[in-house]
């Protein structure tokens, strides 16, 4: 005779307690980690909270084996987006009033041109990757496969998948963000 499945309210309460304990233990460490990368110290707590929101909103690894490392990875992603996209966002949002009449193209049109240029550089850089690295990246980012699933599909180790992803991400970041 098997036990009945646990009540969803019980599971939710258990997850809430786990998350509360995790926040109490890891938030100060995460704040110190983020503080080293952020100039505006007022944003640190917002970024810590955003990291935990992404943890809760993220699918599969509801309880990662190493939550501190997982949280740092999420924070790194948030910080990366913040530093690499902030200049574009600031440029897109702010147009001094005295320059507004002199705009040759509408801001929306410029954004579309910038987005098309970005996609062109991204596609070009992606095509320049070695075949296996490109396939690992495609399976991870376009097919949403885990590193373990990719390793099984391609017959390589999980460590090899990690190395190919690191190589792809570094190359794409360099090519897309430095080419003009």
């Amino acid at each position: 005779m098997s036990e009945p499945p646990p009540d969803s309210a019980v599971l939710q309460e258990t997850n809430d307690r786990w998350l509360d304990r995790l926040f109490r233990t890891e938030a100060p460490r995460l704040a110190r980690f983020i503080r080293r990368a952020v100039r505006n110290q007022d944003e640190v707590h917002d970024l810590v909270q955003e990291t935990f929101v992404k943890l809760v909103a993220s699918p599969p690894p509801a309880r990662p084996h190493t939550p501190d490392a997982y949280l740092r990875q999420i924070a790194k992603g948030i910080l990366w987006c913040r530093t690499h996209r902030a200049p574009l966002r600031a440029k897109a949002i702010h147009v001094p009033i005295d320059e507004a009449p002199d705009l040759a193209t509408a801001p929306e049109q410029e954004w579309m041109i910038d987005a098309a240029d970005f996609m062109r550089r991204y596609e070009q850089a992606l095509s320049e990757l070695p075949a296996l690295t490109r396939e690992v990246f495609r399976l991870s980012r376009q097919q949403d496969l885990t590193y373990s699933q990719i390793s099984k599909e391609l017959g390589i180790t999980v460590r090899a998948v990690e190395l190919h992803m690191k190589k792809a991400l570094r190359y794409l970041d360099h090519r897309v963000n430095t080419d003009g």
Side-chain angles (χ1 to χ4, degrees):
M1 182 186 245
S2 66
E3 293 183 23
D7 183 38
S8 64
V10 172
L11 284 176
Q12 184 62 41
E13 184 178 329
T14 303
N15 282 337
D16 289 347
R17 279 186 290 180
W18 174 79
L19 187 60
D20 183 55
R21 264 194 326 272
L22 182 65
F23 185 82
R24 289 175 193 273
T25 59
E26 294 302 323
R29 289 185 205 145
L30 195 57
R32 284 191 299 275
F33 173 77
I34 292 171
R35 196 170 284 119
R36 290 189 296 249
V38 176
R39 286 189 181 138
N40 183 352
Q41 297 304 306
D42 295 334
E43 293 181 72
V44 171
H45 294 293
D46 291 340
L47 292 170
V48 168
Q49 198 160 19
E50 185 178 344
T51 302
F52 274 90
V53 167
K54 284 195 181 258
L55 170 72
V56 172
S58 69
R63 284 201 187 178
H65 294 293
T66 54
D68 56 328
Y70 190 65
L71 285 167
R72 275 195 307 276
Q73 276 306 116
I74 294 172
K76 284 179 186 177
I78 291 169
L79 291 169
W80 185 90
C81 286
R82 189 174 171 274
T83 57
H84 286 80
R85 294 189 182 139
L88 288 176
R89 196 174 24 224
K91 178 182 173 188
I93 292 171
H94 179 69
V95 177
I97 193 72
D98 59 333
E99 293 179 18
D102 297 334
L103 291 177
T105 59
E108 296 84 14
Q109 187 177 5
E110 186 177 341
W111 298 336
M112 291 172 59
I113 292 169
D114 288 345
D117 186 48
F118 176 86
M119 287 307 294
R120 179 195 54 76
R121 289 192 318 263
Y122 170 77
E123 294 293 335
Q124 177 64 37
L126 195 57
S127 71
E128 294 168 356
L129 288 172
L132 183 58
T133 304
R134 184 174 49 246
E135 184 63 10
V136 167
F137 182 81
R138 188 188 68 74
L139 290 172
S140 175
R141 295 301 166 101
Q142 294 171 354
Q143 301 290 322
D144 288 329
L145 296 181
T146 65
Y147 286 5
S148 178
Q149 291 169 325
I150 295 169
S151 76
K152 287 177 185 162
E153 178 148 333
L154 298 178
I156 58 177
T157 65
V158 172
R159 179 72 178 134
V161 171
E162 291 169 353
L163 292 173
H164 282 286
M165 279 301 292
K166 181 187 268 187
K167 179 180 181 180
L169 290 170
R170 280 187 177 159
Y171 185 77
L172 291 171
D173 179 48
H174 173 73
R175 286 283 284 122
V176 170
N177 292 314
T178 57
D179 282 353

